[in-house]
Every structure is written in C-alpha cells, then in structure tokens.
Amino acid sequence: MLVGQNVEIFRPFNTTIDTQNPHLLTIGNDVQITGPVTILTHDYSWSVLKRKYGYIYGNQRKTVIGNNVFIGWRATILGGSQVGDNVIT
C-alpha cells in the first residue's frame, strides 16, 4: 500500500481498507476520508463466473485515489477504481 502525505482518516474504526492486496492500493497526498468508508482492491464478482464455468478468474485490481481528494460518508471505492485529483466523492 502506497500512502501519500497528509492523509487523514477521521473515523478509523468505522473505515474498512482492503488489506488483502496492499500492493494494489495507492492513496495520494492530501486525502481526507470520513467514516464509515470502504476501499477495496477486490470483489466477489468471481462467484458469478464460478457458478457458470466452475473455476475462478482473477478478481484483484489496482485501486488508485489521487491527490487532494475528499471521500465522504458511506462511500465505497470499488476494486479497479481510479479517483482522480481534486475530487469530492
């Protein structure tokens, strides 16, 4: 996990950050995160394919949060998302 400078998590006990694949998560500088917030690098969409084809395709994807970002109450950042710079979500 790559975390920039001046990252604030206002409710750390109510925030879930996926640590299953920490190398796939990048959080830029000057990011503010309220809570509860969920940030993922994977999901369970593979279960649909497993039921249909009987095997699992990869489900991990890089998740990037840019610089000067505010992530608001109950936001979920899904695996594979790219939140650009100067974004309020």
Side-chain angles (χ1 to χ4, degrees):
M1 181 174 347
L2 180 62
V3 179
Q5 297 179 2
N6 301 318
V7 174
E8 296 180 82
I9 302 174
F10 295 114
R11 302 207 35 170
F13 297 110
N14 295 77
T15 297
T16 301
I17 298 177
D18 184 358
T19 58
Q20 181 174 343
N21 301 291
H23 63 284
L24 294 176
L25 178 60
T26 301
I27 300 174
N29 298 318
D30 303 309
V31 174
Q32 296 179 326
I33 302 170
T34 61
V37 166
T38 302
I39 301 172
L40 301 171
T41 60
H42 77 288
D43 62 40
Y44 291 100
S45 62
W46 58 265
S47 64
V48 173
L49 297 174
K50 184 173 190 271
R51 281 193 295 274
K52 182 163 177 76
Y53 300 110
Y55 52 91
I56 298 174
Y57 291 99
N59 68 326
Q60 295 87 20
R61 293 177 301 241
K62 186 172 179 88
T63 303
V64 178
I65 299 170
N67 298 308
N68 193 35
V69 171
F70 178 83
I71 301 174
W73 191 263
R74 293 202 187 273
T76 299
I77 309 298
L78 297 174
S81 296
Q82 292 190 6
V83 178
D85 295 341
N86 308 308
V87 170
I88 299 171
T89 184

